[in-house]
Amino acid sequence: MTSLAALKSVAASVSERDMANAIRALAMDSVQKANSGHPGMPMGMADVATVLFSRFINIDPTAPDWPDRDRFVLSAGHGSMLQYALHYLLGYEDMPIEELQRFRQLGSRTAGHPEHGHALGIETTTGPLGQGISTAVGMALAERMLAARHGADLVDHYTYAIAGDGCLQEGISHEAIDLAGHLKLSRLIVLWDDNAISIDGPTSLSTSMDQPARFKAAGWLVQLVDGHDMEAVAAAIEAARQADRPSLIACRTVIGKGAPNLGGSEKTHGAPLGNAEIAATRQNIGWAYAPFKVPDDILSAWREIAGRGQAARRAWEQRLAASPQRKAFERAIGGKLPDAVFEALGAFRKEHVEKATKVATRKASEMALAAINGATELTVGGSADLTHSNLTITKDMDRIVPGDYAGRYVHYGIREHGMAAAMNGIALHGGFIPYGGTFLCFADYARGAMRLSALMSQRVVYVMTHDSIGLGEDGPTHQPIEHLAMLRATPNLNVFRPADIIETAECWELALKSERRPSVLVLSRQNLPMLRQAHSDENRSSRGAYVLREPSAHRAVTLIATGSEVEIAVAAAERLEREHGIAAAVVSMPSWELFEEQDADYRKSVLGSAPRVAVEAAARLGWDRWIGDTGAFVGMTGFGASAPAPDLYKHFDITPEAVATAAMKLII
């Protein structure tokens, strides 16, 4: 076995330029073999990445989840071969050369874009441009918050992101850099691949933005360097590490650097170079090795970097073992909520069943959050400038402000998309459970990051209030109609629409227990009565749907509703029995997703065999699954209107009378 000293001796003769050329070669070879991919960015940013990893970044491939590691985010995720090449060169156990040879193939770890959880060391899923840099903001915020709680001995790392022109053109980037600059997130360093090329050609086709000026205006330290001058890149990174604010390093690069005929052209962006150009590139950069072959001395130089990270990790583990903060830190990183949270929610439900508390479910959420936040410090709240409409702050929650990160409430500003991405970053970083609020209608603005929450299986809780025409006078621009269908169509996403204060508390409990799935709490603006007849220790919402009201006689019709319309269904059932002698069951269905997961017998027992009527102040799409071909739907068929909520329900004929009439038509 070769000794570490021998490896260091061999590696010492290797230049960083040789190390960078290994990235270039692996990138062009992998893309060529796959006949698919993006070689230009990895080749252009190889020099920058080499400097970052060889001189600065602290990671340990043998312990990829070490809590105090530096985070690396490849925001320009189409350049995924940069990350895969790095992981092979550094020695991640799941990234042998065979995985690079299977780039973009079914079953490989080398997916077209980096996917969190699909391969070791990938901190976040990227590819949708702008998401990576925005998620990195959340990671950098989480680092500062965790350091404020547990001290610099345990939390002292950086978040590095490589972003491209596309990331900076996406609107989410503006939300993210504004928030980061305002909060003075000094541990965030963005390396911009400033190659002035996009898919269509030069970026001048579509933009004249002075990006450095934009970052400066947002409060960032900005440096401009030649991205192929390794000493200049190193000096810029060192200066950024000493800054008291986030940093942008604009690295002027040549896309496809090294390719003698195609370098600098959009032709290298998203297509293989071709055998002839690859051969010419090998000659041009002095890479006299076969495809996928990295000589031992260059590979040893890369593996030495991994050894440095391993030493740093072991030193950190010694500090953790000696720290009085050890148990608290491990609990936070573990993310397991104490039993006290669920005991508090159980007591909360019992109290409010007995009181028959009538409040809007947004208010019920605030009340449940008071119990949750009082029992754990893991939860971190926030809102997109709607704190006192979403009701997401509770007593004794200190606000996070620039330079002071000891609090647990974030004012995200009017940045729904940036908020969602930042919450992804907080969740991915570890140490906290983030929740954040906006109006349900603005799920449209947050949608891209919400989808990634689900794709990455992150416990992020979206508190979305003003959930229907019930918000009233703000009108159709703010009244969600199609949004429930959109959210319910998203895989691995809990969508909860509770009917009263008890279901709200139950849905909060389910969201917090869903460690591998994000949740959306869909909450009313208007007051809703408490509908349960008695307290039960069972969380009845946990099965997605249940019979809230069982008729005394054989069921003649089943009325199914969610949220604020459950009250309407109950009134309709009472009307049917009182005026027509028709036995109607009422099913509350707070979560389609959880109901789908139940066995067939349970679903049949809830839905019954009688005709069904669904009522929801939203679009019909999806409801036919539950009501069948012969069922009826009472809800919205178009957009809303501006008026007081009671007038709107009457105008759009979402009333007990309308539900009863629909039921009568089915059974008579």
Side-chain angles (χ1 to χ4, degrees):
M1 180 180 291
T2 305
S3 69
L4 180 60
L7 286 175
K8 288 183 177 180
S9 176
V10 170
S13 63
V14 174
S15 72
E16 286 181 322
R17 193 72 61 191
D18 293 331
M19 296 168 70
N21 283 337
I23 296 173
R24 292 188 172 96
L26 290 170
M28 66 184 184
D29 289 342
S30 298
V31 172
Q32 185 67 26
K33 190 173 192 302
N35 196 30
S36 174
H38 300 75
M41 191 282 271
M43 296 174 72
M45 285 296 281
D47 297 326
V48 173
T50 299
V51 171
L52 174 63
F53 278 79
S54 68
R55 304 195 198 185
F56 295 100
I57 207 162
N58 265 331
I59 58 168
D60 179 4
T62 67
D65 294 330
W66 160 41
D68 201 36
R69 68 193 180 279
D70 288 335
R71 270 57 171 183
F72 172 69
V73 174
L74 187 65
S75 189
H78 56 275
S80 57
M81 266 312 305
L82 175 67
Q83 184 147 33
Y84 301 144
L86 286 166
H87 282 206
Y88 163 67
L89 293 167
L90 291 166
Y92 280 84
E93 66 177 4
D94 68 337
M95 200 59 66
I97 197 65
E98 290 79 11
E99 287 296 332
L100 275 63
Q101 293 169 339
R102 297 199 304 141
F103 179 52
R104 288 185 163 224
Q105 304 308 300
L106 184 64
S108 74
R109 293 189 180 89
T110 46
H113 295 86
E115 296 181 22
H116 174 73
H118 193 67
L120 298 175
I122 296 175
E123 302 287 0
T124 183
T125 296
T126 57
L129 294 175
Q131 290 291 337
I133 185 176
S134 305
T135 303
V137 170
M139 292 178 178
L141 174 58
E143 188 275 341
R144 291 289 79 198
M145 293 166 60
L146 206 62
R149 293 190 182 190
H150 300 288
D153 276 354
L154 300 183
V155 186
D156 183 20
H157 56 265
Y158 291 85
T159 300
Y160 298 97
I162 287 180
D165 292 298
C167 294
L168 303 193
Q169 287 185 37
E170 289 286 358
I172 189 175
S173 75
H174 190 78
E175 297 183 21
I177 69 171
D178 189 5
L179 180 62
H182 170 72
L183 291 175
K184 299 187 183 300
L185 299 180
S186 58
R187 297 304 183 90
L188 175 62
I189 299 173
V190 174
L191 301 147
W192 170 31
D193 180 18
D194 180 17
N195 61 32
I197 292 292
S198 62
I199 292 176
D200 285 353
T203 54
S204 59
L205 289 170
S206 60
T207 181
S208 300
M209 175 65 71
D210 184 339
Q211 293 288 2
R214 182 166 73 108
F215 277 79
K216 285 180 183 177
W220 289 52
L221 172 67
V222 175
Q223 302 174 79
L224 281 66
V225 300
D226 177 348
H228 304 300
D229 181 338
M230 290 181 161
E231 294 307 319
V233 171
I237 294 173
E238 184 57 43
R241 286 163 58 93
Q242 305 305 317
D244 61 354
R245 47 193 161 148
S247 291
L248 174 75
I249 303 174
C251 304
R252 173 60 75 174
T253 60
V254 175
I255 191 170
K257 173 72 172 175
N261 303 303
L262 298 180
S265 165
E266 69 275 9
K267 293 179 181 178
T268 70
H269 173 87
L273 299 183
N275 290 324
E277 185 70 2
I278 286 176
T281 302
R282 277 186 152 75
Q283 184 174 7
N284 190 43
I285 65 176
W287 192 260
Y289 311 105
F292 299 103
K293 173 63 178 176
V294 177
D296 289 344
D297 57 345
I298 295 176
L299 194 58
S300 296
W302 277 106
R303 299 290 162 88
E304 187 179 330
I305 296 169
R308 185 191 70 213
Q310 188 175 72
R313 188 257 303 170
R314 288 172 174 165
W316 176 85
E317 288 176 342
Q318 291 177 353
R319 296 196 301 275
L320 176 65
S323 173
Q325 285 281 320
R326 177 180 179 176
K327 289 184 178 180
F329 179 84
E330 289 177 339
R331 282 196 301 269
I333 289 297
K336 186 170 179 58
L337 286 161
D339 292 341
V341 170
F342 307 111
E343 292 166 0
L345 285 172
F348 177 92
R349 286 162 40 210
K350 185 174 188 299
E351 174 190 355
H352 290 289
V353 163
E354 294 170 353
K355 290 181 176 179
T357 303
K358 179 179 181 177
V359 291
T361 51
R362 63 169 177 158
K363 180 64 177 178
S365 172
E366 177 191 44
M367 296 163 69
L369 273 171
I372 294 164
N373 291 338
T376 181
E377 293 188 349
L378 279 178
T379 47
V380 173
S383 172
D385 198 51
L386 289 167
T387 293
H388 300 295
S389 290
N390 302 143
L391 303 179
T392 41
I393 197 169
T394 61
K395 184 180 179 182
D396 298 328
M397 288 188 86
D398 292 331
R399 292 168 168 83
I400 292 166
V401 297
D404 183 354
Y405 311 101
R408 55 191 294 206
Y409 193 83
V410 184
H411 288 280
Y412 288 104
I414 309 165
R415 307 183 183 101
E416 294 87 357
H417 203 179
M419 175 182 73
M423 288 197 295
N424 283 341
I426 293 170
L428 287 160
H429 180 278
F432 305 100
I433 301 170
Y435 69 87
T438 187
F439 289 177
L440 178 59
C441 195
F442 303 138
D444 287 339
Y445 286 0
R447 164 69 179 161
M450 293 177 72
R451 183 173 185 269
L452 286 185
S453 301
L455 186 59
M456 295 188 289
S457 301
Q458 293 303 299
R459 180 169 49 177
V460 177
V461 183
Y462 296 94
V463 181
M464 300 218 157
T465 69
H466 296 61
D467 69 344
S468 71
I469 58 171
L471 72 86
E473 292 86 344
D474 277 344
T477 58
H478 285 52
Q479 291 166 2
I481 302 299
E482 70 277 24
H483 299 75
L484 283 169
M486 175 267 289
L487 293 169
R488 287 167 176 160
T490 305
N492 198 43
L493 178 67
N494 288 328
V495 182
F496 296 113
R497 191 167 187 245
D500 64 5
I501 190 170
I502 305 305
E503 284 192 2
T504 303
E506 289 178 337
C507 291
W508 259 112
E509 177 180 321
L510 295 168
L512 293 174
K513 287 182 174 179
S514 296
E515 297 182 9
R516 299 283 297 163
R517 187 184 293 183
S519 298
V520 183
L521 294 173
V522 179
L523 306 171
S524 74
R525 178 180 184 267
Q526 70 271 37
N527 288 342
L528 301 176
M530 196 281 297
L531 297 172
R532 293 285 176 86
Q533 298 300 308
H535 172 67
S536 168
D537 289 335
E538 178 191 3
N539 183 328
R540 300 192 72 188
S541 297
S542 68
R543 304 189 80 172
Y546 62 96
V547 180
L548 175 68
R549 181 189 187 276
E550 191 73 76
S552 54
H554 179 72
R555 188 190 301 193
V557 67
T558 301
L559 310 181
I560 313 171
T562 75
S564 48
E565 286 71 66
V566 178
E567 174 188 13
I568 293 173
V570 170
E574 292 172 349
R575 183 185 184 94
L576 285 166
E577 185 170 355
R578 181 178 65 250
E579 298 182 6
H580 304 285
I582 294 173
V586 176
V587 171
S588 179
M589 189 180 280
S591 172
W592 289 19
E593 296 76 28
L594 295 185
F595 189 59
E596 288 171 354
E597 293 172 3
Q598 306 308 307
D599 60 51
D601 288 343
Y602 178 76
R603 292 199 303 270
K604 184 177 180 180
S605 72
V606 171
L607 296 175
S609 57
R612 302 167 196 162
V613 180
V615 53
E616 187 171 67
R620 177 172 181 153
L621 186 65
W623 269 109
D624 292 282
R625 174 171 186 180
W626 308 120
I627 61 178
D629 294 340
T630 59
F633 177 75
V634 177
M636 298 296 291
T637 57
F639 293 112
S642 179
D647 296 344
L648 290 170
Y649 274 89
K650 291 177 183 176
H651 174 75
F652 290 107
D653 207 20
I654 305 174
T655 63
E657 294 79 11
V659 176
T661 299
M664 295 283 289
K665 290 179 179 179
L666 291 180
I667 60 179
I668 294 177

